[in-house]
Amino acid sequence: MNILLTGGAGYIGSHTAVTLTEAGHQIVIFDNFCNSDKSVLDRLERILKKRLPLIDGDVRNTALIAQTLEKFQIDTVIHFAGLKAVGESVDRPIEYYANNVQGTISLLEAMSLVNVKSLVFSSSATVYGDPQYLPIDEEHPTSATNAYGRSKLHIEEMLKDVANSDREWKIICLRYFNPVGAHESGLIGEDPNGIPNNLVPYIAQVAIGNLEKLSVYGGDYPTLDGTGVRDYIHVMDLAEGHLAALNYLSTNPGWIAVNLGAGKGISVLEVLNEYEKASAKSIRYSIEKRRAGDIASCFAKVDKAKKILGWQTKRNVHDMCASGWLWQQYRKNLP
Ligand code: NAD
Ligand code: UD1
């Protein structure tokens, strides 16, 4: 199949590009590089021994998207492009709605113009808001606590309307839990700007010596060791989830949402211990007060992905930390 990856130069998109190319699909990357670097194309070429075609553009450029869909005879779009920092979305909501919601409307306009009606959308566990029960299944009520989450929710609902309006549309919303780790080559990985907000990128910066110590946000949660529990998923497992979603879409019209997670909760201290083992570094930390807006535990029920997509995770938390550490060491020498 010919597949367009909007935001394909980013963290999850670049890993998915590897998995899909290795499975025999033809990939085209469409990205404006607002949160990624063009050198990822060189590094993908090293992994794949082949140069992936790139269109440097913004998803809000409807004409350019339509032209790209036609030029490369695209069958399916995977829509990763968007902004994703929760805190920033609270300060700059207009940018988030413009990029995420308006960007998706522009993409949908282009797709319907040239009659490409198959779409995989990068959604998030954030659409569940504060969990009312665990593990979280796809029937859990949705809500949003910030502009980023609300943009994802708006998009999911828009996509449902589109699928309801025309039986030809095939749309799957993949609700990712906490993606971490890197490709086993260590040549691509997560590359956040500035000081990371998320746990594993922050630990990586402490391990490599760029940051002094980790603040563990809360040691008094009602969890096994008092620290926050999340469902971490290896980014290569996540990439394989997209391959499974494409197979599903090829024969299933309509709209569906599916959780992609490991289905298992891991605490902050468990991640820290695994990262210490994987990196052979001692990682300084102190227990601090809870981060505003955080919840004690969040993890997925993953039966639907298993049943409908025939997919489940294969890699464990050690693989996540070991691959992430490999990437971290490579990344420190990048310009
Ligand atoms: P990322 O920032 O690494 O990748 C996003 C890519 O999209 C970047 O390369 C960026 O340059 C590009 N982009 C952004 N706006 C664009 C636009 N208007 N036009 C063209 N390109 C644009 O993020 P990621 O972690 O790879 O996330 C990919 C998707 O998955 C996002 O939609 C994100 O919201 C969603 N998601 C991510 C996580 C996570 O923890 N990483 C969790 C749940 C959902
Ligand atoms: C964050 C996002 C969420 C997104 C998810 C996916 C926020 C509020 N939420 O959630 O929308 O879908 O990432 O990646 O940003 N922690 C520390 N010290 C740190 C950083 C984190 O102790 O320096 C703890 C947190 O309290 C939490 C766990 O580590 O218990 C994971 O945090 P993080 O990586 O930020 O992910 P989420 O909070 O799940």
Side-chain angles (χ1 to χ4, degrees):
M1 266 201 290
N2 298 330
I3 303 162
L4 183 71
L5 307 188
T6 74
Y11 172 45
I12 302 169
S14 57
H15 290 78
T16 304
V18 172
T19 297
L20 299 187
T21 305
E22 285 174 347
H25 294 297
Q26 307 304 317
I27 299 305
V28 179
I29 290 181
F30 187 105
D31 205 299
N32 69 357
F33 297 98
C34 69
N35 198 36
S36 50
D37 191 272
K38 280 198 176 140
S39 69
V40 78
L41 271 299
D42 301 331
R43 289 178 275 123
L44 283 172
E45 187 174 356
R46 278 183 64 188
I47 296 170
L48 295 168
K49 316 276 180 270
K50 122 178 201 192
R51 188 81 184 172
L52 297 181
L54 164 73
I55 307 298
D56 184 347
D58 194 298
V59 283
R60 287 166 287 179
N61 185 342
T62 312
L64 181 61
I65 296 265
Q67 198 186 315
T68 306
L69 294 172
E70 283 200 308
K71 180 177 172 196
F72 293 95
Q73 299 185 329
I74 296 298
D75 302 298
T76 297
V77 177
I78 308 186
H79 184 34
F80 297 103
L83 302 180
K84 63 166 184 177
V86 173
E88 194 180 70
S89 81
V90 175
D91 296 335
R92 311 213 295 254
I94 302 170
E95 253 175 73
Y96 272 69
Y97 289 119
N99 239 287
N100 297 2
V101 180
Q102 199 175 317
T104 306
I105 294 172
S106 163
L107 174 67
L108 291 168
E109 283 173 341
M111 289 175 74
S112 50
L113 202 67
V114 299
N115 215 28
V116 175
K117 294 183 174 172
S118 173
L119 177 69
V120 179
F121 173 61
S122 293
S123 190
S124 165
T126 192
V127 300
Y128 296 119
D130 291 340
Q132 294 175 14
Y133 57 84
L134 292 169
I136 302 178
D137 59 21
E138 290 82 353
E139 305 311 313
H140 185 288
T142 53
S143 67
T145 52
N146 53 66
Y148 166 69
R150 204 160 286 114
S151 76
K152 291 288 177 194
L153 211 46
H154 285 337
I155 295 167
E156 280 206 2
E157 285 167 355
M158 256 169 26
L159 295 178
K160 207 182 286 183
D161 288 337
V162 170
N164 282 338
S165 73
D166 173 353
R167 290 284 299 155
E168 282 181 16
W169 278 94
K170 298 170 179 169
I171 302 178
I172 185 164
C173 296
L174 299 177
R175 295 173 174 165
Y176 312 153
F177 278 67
N178 290 53
V180 296
H183 185 257
E184 46 267 21
S185 65
L187 291 172
I188 54 173
E190 190 170 12
D191 198 8
N193 291 326
I195 296 179
N197 294 310
N198 295 117
L199 178 67
V200 177
Y202 200 102
I203 291 179
Q205 291 291 308
V206 178
I208 205 95
N210 290 343
L211 293 170
E212 200 192 329
K213 72 173 171 79
L214 172 77
S215 296
V216 175
Y217 298 137
D220 56 352
Y221 282 113
T223 59
L224 213 63
D225 60 20
T227 66
V229 164
R230 296 291 183 275
D231 187 336
Y232 298 95
I233 169 171
H234 195 300
V235 68
M236 292 308 296
D237 279 327
L238 191 61
E240 288 165 12
H242 291 76
L243 181 61
L246 287 176
N247 294 338
Y248 169 84
L249 270 196
S250 61
T251 51
N252 290 283
W255 179 99
I256 194 170
V258 179
N259 288 342
L260 293 187
K264 186 173 168 248
I266 301 174
S267 77
V268 173
L269 291 182
E270 283 176 307
V271 175
L272 187 85
N273 286 337
E274 280 299 339
Y275 211 97
E276 284 190 321
K277 279 191 226 155
S279 62
K281 300 271 179 196
S282 157
I283 297 166
R284 286 192 60 208
Y285 74 93
S286 60
I287 307 273
E288 305 292 341
K289 63 178 191 329
R290 295 178 180 190
R291 181 170 68 177
D294 263 359
I295 45 176
S297 292
C298 175
F299 50 94
K301 190 162 169 69
V302 290
D303 299 26
K304 191 171 177 184
K306 202 168 169 182
K307 183 163 170 233
I308 288 183
L309 306 181
W311 168 92
Q312 60 186 324
T313 58
K314 297 179 196 148
R315 298 156 179 93
N316 61 22
V317 63
H318 175 78
D319 303 324
M320 300 176 204
C321 296
S323 58
W325 176 239
L326 204 60
W327 156 245
Q328 192 58 46
Q329 288 166 286
Y330 177 79
R331 176 184 185 250
K332 79 166 190 265
N333 296 317
L334 286 176

